[in-house]
Amino acid sequence: MQGTGVKADRRLGYISRSETFSASHRLHSKSLSDEENERIFGKCNNPNGHGHNYKVEVTVRGEIDPVTGMIMNITDLKKCIEMAVMKPLDHKNLDKDVPYFANVVSTAENIAVFIWDSLQKLMEPNLLYEVKVFETDKNIAFYRGE
């Protein structure tokens, strides 16, 4: 790889794994009046909440090991997702069952941040690249730790 500044034996790559989980929530900010919440969040502010079948895609970035051919063992990534996503979020009422959301609005953006922070505690530093949360097929949020 002459002239590129990259050693031939040092290759950066990305791998992703996705999982789905079901959860309910209510978009509601304690910092706003009931009228403001209804105006901003509309039907998603239903006092009884509503549910989604979320899809989460976790991407890691790193050097491809020349011996194993892997950035990270996908089995290890699966275990991290189980601990950081499935156990705390699947079949839960996010606002009532997950302490993080007691004072944080459970938007897709904030769910992505929660998952990022949870995964960071389980992974090697600088390995996590992106967390994508598909709230619906059309509504997707992603977070890269910025």
Side-chain angles (χ1 to χ4, degrees):
M1 306 241 3
Q2 199 169 13
T4 64
V6 177
K7 289 183 178 179
D9 62 344
R10 183 177 183 267
R11 304 286 186 158
L12 291 177
Y14 301 78
I15 59 170
S16 297
R17 179 165 175 93
S18 62
E19 289 287 350
T20 58
F21 70 93
S22 298
S24 64
H25 70 149
R26 176 187 187 202
L27 294 183
H28 187 86
S29 173
K30 293 177 182 177
S31 301
L32 301 171
S33 70
D34 287 344
E35 294 78 22
E36 289 172 306
N37 272 294
E38 188 174 337
R39 181 179 52 77
I40 292 169
F41 299 118
K43 67 181 182 178
C44 296
N45 183 246
N46 176 1
N48 294 317
H50 65 282
H52 295 282
N53 292 317
Y54 292 92
K55 176 182 170 187
V56 175
E57 185 177 285
V58 176
T59 302
V60 296
R61 174 186 181 268
E63 284 189 34
I64 301 171
D65 186 288
V67 175
T68 65
M70 294 188 283
I71 297 162
M72 176 184 193
N73 189 315
I74 202 80
T75 301
D76 294 337
L77 181 55
K78 181 181 175 181
K79 289 176 187 173
C80 289
I81 293 171
E82 177 66 26
M83 296 299 296
V85 178
M86 303 308 288
K87 285 191 178 193
L89 303 179
D90 191 31
H91 285 80
K92 299 289 187 346
N93 179 314
L94 300 179
D95 307 312
K96 297 178 181 180
D97 297 329
V98 183
Y100 179 87
F101 294 109
N103 294 303
V104 174
V105 182
S106 55
T107 59
E109 297 93 314
N110 283 330
I111 294 168
V113 169
F114 170 82
I115 292 169
W116 175 279
D117 290 347
S118 299
L119 286 167
Q120 283 287 78
K121 296 173 186 172
L122 302 171
M123 292 184 172
E124 295 291 324
N126 302 314
L127 187 59
L128 187 57
Y129 175 73
E130 181 178 79
V131 171
K132 273 188 185 175
V133 175
F134 296 73
E135 187 175 60
T136 68
D137 290 340
K138 297 180 180 180
N139 298 336
I140 304 160
F142 66 92
Y143 184 68
R144 292 184 180 156
E146 301 167 338

